[in-house]
């Protein structure tokens, strides 16, 4: 297809929508319009089939048995890890750790990094647009170690004020943790530049990639970040699985996060000798079909091509922004120059919750509320927003229905 | 009228509406029309925090009956609150504790009571019953 800007994009919408069974669903008697991709993305048949195949043909525990099923599934699970390594261009496969999700990955780093390197009076630098998941683990660590959280502020467009970064970084700064793309505003942060600046002062950087991974090509070596975390379910994969990428030097230094089976070389009651990364961090039986399904999801988006996805989603964002801006009383929250396909907005005199209820009745799934970014809501002085977040299977026709839905809700609620 | 009778009355009223739109328009109307609580009670002390919308609840005990007033910042929530107040207010603590409030399901508004923490309604009903529990056995 050719977009309005004349770019040729290989997005076969009809075929893609066929790949996602849930998109055929009716909700409240209306065809489902799923604009809550920022919360979780829908799953293509390939992922669903991989999970079904695992349970019907492959189920066995990994890394343990000598029997055929166990050997085969171990190979497939480790192959999934390699695919994930290649997808984000990590140097080594042992830099890829399977977690429960983004939150779990951040907690792992906060725990292990904190244990080794954070002392009283030290500082951890976050941004004003962080999800609670990238605030609370650091807050807990700071409380425990009597360390301090500092925050990079944003401007009213929802962009980081980078001029303040130099003053915020001090000799006490031990780590910077920031989101790649804001879940509420859609802002794409200049992560590479921030990492470069931090590294000049030997400060490691953790990047929360939960929102970035479905929208952009992530290259951890190019970004040069020390840690990169994301969830499977936001990138069209299974729930309950995620990835922590960590540079080898950190992972080698880290102690185990949780104790359990699978993380050891030898155990006596006197002492345990631990395995190397990644097994050191993967105590207990993992989410086997989750890891396999995640690799299938990445294969799926790579087949479409992230560059095509990016162009198409930008087109959707532009289209929706134009449509919504034309509605009187509607204000878009988050107008950064670099933005992913996420639109947050409020309508004068209307509570986001009421709007969400009416849109739901029209079959439109959006998120309303503070999106687990209360400090950000405080910045804008609002209790919450209505958020539409698009994926490559969404269409302009759906945006038209959405726009009409908003207008209808306004006429009912005013 | 007993709590069950008022519930049945509301169910009958709602049976006149043929679709969700009409129901919601009615809820929005009653939500808009009346101030449900004295402004002096719209403080932190009377607030039941929902994840998205907020609810204020206040209770008086007069002649063996509890009288509730409540409010919300979201209009549809406020409409449902006014139904709840209509059902629960003016009854004895014992009656209130026993109320099953099945009318909410019967008029097709169950989705508003989902345990999403979103609108504070579930907590509000719990709080209404806690008031009743605390006052049960008292005459004044």
């Amino acid at each position: 297809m050719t977009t309005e800007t004349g770019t040729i994009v290989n997005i076969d919408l009809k075929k893609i929508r066929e790949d996602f069974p849930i998109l055929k669903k009716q909700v409240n008697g209306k065809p489902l319009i799923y604009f809550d991709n920022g919360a979780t993305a829908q799953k293509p048949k390939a992922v669903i089939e991989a999970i079904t195949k695992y349970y019907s043909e492959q189920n066995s525990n990994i890394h343990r048995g000598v029997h055929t099923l166990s050997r085969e599934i171990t190979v497939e699970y480790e192959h999934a890890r390699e695919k994930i390594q290649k997808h984000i261009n990590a140097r080594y496969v042992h830099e890829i750790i399977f977690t429960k999700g983004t939150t779990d990955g951040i907690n792992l780093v906060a725990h292990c990094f904190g244990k080794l390197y954070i002392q009283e009076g030290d500082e951890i630098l976050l941004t004003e647009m962080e999800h609670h998941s990238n605030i609370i683990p650091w807050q807990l660590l700071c409380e425990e170690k009597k360390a301090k959280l500092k925050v990079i502020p944003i401007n009213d467009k929802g962009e980081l004020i980078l001029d303040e970064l130099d003053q915020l970084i001090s000799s006490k700064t031990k780590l910077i943790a920031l989101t790649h793309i804001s879940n509420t505003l859609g802002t794409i942060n200049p992560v590479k530049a921030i990492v470069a600046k931090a590294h000049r002062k030997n400060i490691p950087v953790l990047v929360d990639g939960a929102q970035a991974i479905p929208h952009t090509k992530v290259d951890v070596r190019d970004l040069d970040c020390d840690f990169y975390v994301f969830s499977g379910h936001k990138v069209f994969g299974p729930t309950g699985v995620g990835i922590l990428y960590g540079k080898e030097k950190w992972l080698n230094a880290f102690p185990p996060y949780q104790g359990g089976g699978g993380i050891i070389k030898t155990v006596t009651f006197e002492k345990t000798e631990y395995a190397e990364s990644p097994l050191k961090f993967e105590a207990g039986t993992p989410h086997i079909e989750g890891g396999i399904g995640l690799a299938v999801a990445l294969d799926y988006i790579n087949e479409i091509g992230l560059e095509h996805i990016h162009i198409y989603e930008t087109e959707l964002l532009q289209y929706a922004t134009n449509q919504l801006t034309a509605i009187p009383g509607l204000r878009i929250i988050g107008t950064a120059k670099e933005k992913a396909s996420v639109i947050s907005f409020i309508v004068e005199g209307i509570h986001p919750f009421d709007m969400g209820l009416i849109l739901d009745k029209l079959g439109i799934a959006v998120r309303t509320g503070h999106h687990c970014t209360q400090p950000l809501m405080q910045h804008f002085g609002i209790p919450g927003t209505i958020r539409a977040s698009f994926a490559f299977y969404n269409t302009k026709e759906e945006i038209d229905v959405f726009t009409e839905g908003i207008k209808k809700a306004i006429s009912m609620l005013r | 009228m007993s709590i069950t009778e008022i519930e049945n009355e509301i169910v009958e009223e709602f049976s006149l509406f043929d679709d969700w739109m009409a129901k919601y328009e009615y809820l929005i109307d009653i939500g808009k029309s009346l101030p449900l609580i004295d402004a002096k009670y719209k403080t932190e002390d009377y607030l039941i925090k929902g994840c998205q919308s907020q609810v204020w609840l206040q209770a008086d005990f007069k002649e063996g009956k509890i009288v509730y007033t409540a409010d919300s910042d979201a209009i549809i929530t406020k409409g449902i609150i006014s139904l709840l107040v209509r059902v629960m207010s003016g009854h004895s603590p014992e009656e209130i504790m026993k109320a099953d409030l099945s009318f909410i399901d019967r008029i097709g508004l169950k989705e508003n009571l989902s345990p999403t923490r979103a609108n504070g309604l579930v907590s509000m009903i719990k709080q209404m019953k806690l008031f009743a529990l605390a006052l049960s056995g008292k005459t004044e």
Side-chain angles (χ1 to χ4, degrees), chain A residues 30 351-354 357-358 360-362 367-370 374 383 408 412-414, chain B residues 20-21 24-25 28 32 51-54 73-77 108 111-112 118-119:
Chain A
K30 301 271 164 42
H351 199 289
F353 184 71
D354 289 322
L357 275 178
I358 292 176
D360 171 56
K361 287 287 181 192
L362 297 168
R367 176 89 185 263
T368 61
H370 53 64
Q374 286 182 358
K408 188 187 188 93
M412 284 175 76
L413 291 164
R414 277 254 170 85
Chain B
W20 70 269
M21 270 268 282
Y24 271 48
E25 270 166 356
I28 292 164
K32 275 180 191 167
C51 195
Q52 296 190 24
S53 65
Q54 322 211 49
D73 54 351
I75 202 91
I76 296 171
T77 308
E111 72 262 29
N112 289 285
N119 60 14

Side-chain angles (χ1 to χ4, degrees), chain A residues 199-272:
Chain A
H199 282 181
R200 281 198 287 277
K201 304 207 167 155
N202 288 320
I203 301 165
V205 179
L206 174 139
V207 181
D208 168 357
Q211 296 294 329
I213 202 82
H215 299 296
T216 49
K217 178 81 194 124
V218 171
D219 181 331
V220 290
R221 270 195 275 176
D222 180 55
L223 293 174
D224 200 27
C225 55
D226 297 85
F227 306 99
Y228 197 96
V229 287
F230 62 90
S231 300
H233 72 98
K234 291 200 203 284
V235 65
F236 316 99
T239 48
V241 69
I243 294 297
L244 160 64
Y245 156 80
K247 277 187 181 167
E248 185 188 42
K249 63 169 178 178
W250 297 113
L251 298 180
N252 283 346
F254 278 8
Y257 174 41
Q258 291 173 326
I263 71 164
I264 54 103
K265 275 182 190 157
T266 58
V267 179
T268 64
F269 280 108
E270 285 71 40
K271 187 171 170 52
T272 294

